[in-house]
């Protein structure tokens, strides 16, 4: 059996701001951009890695949730407590500098952790935690 990660989902609250972050700053390519009833699902992924994608989705598109639950979801996203993703780069310092210069919200500057990972962290426009590790 061969199982891979095909796609992972992250909520977005502003599709255009999310495109700027993931496409223009991180360099991901847009693979699909699907609209339905005023909402958008945007599939992006690293260039040269067609089998790995992130799907940015409207967080409250589920018709089975209440208004209170919608509000709670949006509050958790804004705090960075709802979803997140870990990425890797071959040049953490250059990636950090590019994102910092763009006014992306810095959560953690590049840090060497005692468990062997060097990483930094940002919030995307929705508030999702985006951790970026130095590839080793």
């Amino acid at each position: 059996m061969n199982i891979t990660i095909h796609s992972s989902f992250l909520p977005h609250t502003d599709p255009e701001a999310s495109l700027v972050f993931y496409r223009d700053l991180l360099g991901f390519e847009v693979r699909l951009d699907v609209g339905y009833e005023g909402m958008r699902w945007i599939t992006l992924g690293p260039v040269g890695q067609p089998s790995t994608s992130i799907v940015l989705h409207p967080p409250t598109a589920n018709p089975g949730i209440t208004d209170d639950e919608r509000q709670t979801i949006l509050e958790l996203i804004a705090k960075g407590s709802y979803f997140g993703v870990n990425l890797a780069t071959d040049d953490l310092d250059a990636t950090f500098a590019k994102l910092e210069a763009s006014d992306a919200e810095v959560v953690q500057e590049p840090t060497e952790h005692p468990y062997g990972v060097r990483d930094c962290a940002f919030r995307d426009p929705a508030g999702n935690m985006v951790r970026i590790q130095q590839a080793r």
Side-chain angles (χ1 to χ4, degrees), residues 29 31 46-50:
E29 62 185 2
R31 299 185 178 146
V47 174
Q49 297 180 41

Side-chain angles (χ1 to χ4, degrees), residues 99-131:
L99 289 169
E100 184 181 39
S102 76
D103 292 328
E105 182 183 346
V106 176
V107 176
Q108 175 199 300
E109 294 186 7
T111 302
E112 186 75 42
H113 298 283
Y115 44 86
V117 172
R118 183 169 184 263
D119 72 356
C120 64
F122 291 86
R123 290 195 204 288
D124 76 4
N128 297 303
M129 183 69 67
V130 178
R131 299 195 75 81

Side-chain angles (χ1 to χ4, degrees), residues 64-75:
I65 62 175
T66 67
D67 288 341
D68 287 343
E69 290 168 333
R70 275 186 184 82
Q71 185 59 39
T72 298
I73 289 169
L74 293 173
E75 289 171 2

